[in-house]
Amino acid sequence: QAFFCLLLCIPWSSSCPPSCQCTERAGAKAVLCSSRHLEEIPKDIPKDAVFLKLDANSITRIPSNAFRHLSHLEELDLSRNSIEKIDRAAFKGVGAGLRTLDLSSNRIRNVPKEALLALNAKLRLANNPWHCECALQEVLWEARLDPDSVQDITCHTAPREEYVGKPLLQVLDAGVNFCSVRQRTMDVAMFITMFGWFAMVIIYVICYVRHNREDTCRHVDYLQSLPSTQDHAETTSTAL
């Protein structure tokens, strides 16, 4: 009974994922899961973790609420994985105390800006096959990026071939605005949609007028085919 009571009294936060090592650093818990062949983020990370290293694994996706219970987290290292997809709510629940988020050396082409702009952490995004677009531009302008790695955020693909292989910061400094390109595309799409609706209204009005005209002509022809009142009177007097 004493043994089971002891088990119940041990807080869950003191547990450690089987594939990781948990240590104390100046009173702060560090969870070390580097190079453990992980394919997904462990679900039993202690709630009181302050430092979390998941680098050099085979993680391909950061799902929504992956770190929702880690409100004490200050440093998160996800570098050197195979991450391709980051959900919009991937870092939801992470406390405002997060100081560093390392996503460098992955396979990230694009990322929802909502996933990163809500963080106060310093971001490391270098050495990913980025597709240069408006969302990435907004992250670059609005997020806190590690100044030592900004130059390594390179356009792997881009709307124009001349931007490929160049640092995104260099492209933007040259006056390129990916968001204005998207806005023009949206404006054209809106114009085409409005023109389509306008054309449908015009066609409807034409069909409506033509249909009413045909009904009116049929009604007139019908009235003309009826015997007039005068002819009816003459027929009656003759009969008398």
Side-chain angles (χ1 to χ4, degrees):
Q1 290 180 346
F3 174 74
F4 285 110
C5 181
L6 180 61
L7 285 179
L8 292 175
C9 292
I10 296 176
W12 286 106
S13 59
S14 64
S15 63
C16 189
S19 55
C20 304
Q21 178 185 0
C22 297
T23 62
E24 294 282 341
R25 293 182 180 178
K29 178 161 290 187
V31 182
L32 310 178
C33 311
S34 305
S35 303
R36 300 301 176 95
H37 307 289
L38 298 176
E39 296 183 355
E40 60 182 18
I41 298 168
K43 301 185 183 303
D44 50 355
I45 299 171
K47 295 181 179 181
D48 54 351
V50 176
F51 305 98
L52 175 58
K53 290 185 65 65
L54 291 163
D55 56 304
N57 283 292
S58 302
I59 299 171
T60 58
R61 178 191 174 197
I62 306 178
S64 297
N65 302 307
F67 309 99
R68 66 184 182 278
H69 61 292
L70 304 179
S71 58
H72 301 285
L73 203 60
E74 294 183 7
E75 294 186 14
L76 175 57
D77 188 355
L78 289 160
S79 64
R80 295 183 296 153
N81 275 278
S82 301
I83 298 171
E84 297 181 352
K85 181 175 176 56
I86 299 176
D87 291 358
R88 293 180 183 274
F91 303 104
K92 186 176 181 180
V94 175
L98 186 67
R99 295 185 285 111
T100 302
L101 172 59
D102 195 342
L103 291 168
S104 59
S105 300
N106 277 282
R107 299 176 182 175
I108 307 171
R109 296 189 70 251
N110 47 59
V111 60
K113 62 180 182 180
E114 298 85 357
L116 300 180
L117 293 183
L119 301 174
N120 295 320
K122 183 182 294 184
L123 304 177
R124 295 172 183 161
L125 306 176
N127 301 319
N128 281 287
W130 290 108
H131 174 66
C132 288
E133 58 179 350
C134 181
L136 182 58
Q137 174 181 320
E138 291 179 344
V139 168
L140 187 65
W141 287 148
E142 300 180 36
R144 293 181 60 230
L145 298 179
D146 183 355
D148 296 332
S149 65
V150 172
Q151 289 294 339
D152 293 324
I153 302 176
T154 304
C155 296
H156 184 74
T157 57
R160 297 177 61 174
E161 189 66 26
E162 61 189 276
Y163 306 144
V164 175
K166 294 183 178 180
L168 177 59
L169 188 61
Q170 178 183 337
V171 174
L172 297 178
D173 285 343
V176 177
N177 189 338
F178 294 107
C179 295
S180 66
V181 172
R182 187 182 69 173
Q183 184 62 44
R184 286 197 298 270
T185 303
M186 293 177 61
D187 291 343
V188 171
M190 183 65 69
F191 174 78
I192 293 175
T193 302
M194 292 179 63
F195 180 81
W197 279 106
F198 182 74
M200 289 177 61
V201 171
I202 295 298
I203 293 172
Y204 173 79
V205 171
I206 292 174
C207 292
Y208 180 78
V209 171
R210 181 177 297 175
H211 178 74
N212 284 350
R213 181 180 298 174
E214 292 175 353
D215 285 347
T216 301
C217 291
R218 284 196 296 267
H219 186 66
V220 170
D221 292 341
Y222 172 75
L223 292 177
Q224 290 178 347
S225 66
L226 294 175
S228 63
T229 305
Q230 183 178 357
D231 292 341
H232 180 71
E234 289 178 354
T235 302
T236 304
S237 63
T238 303
L240 291 175

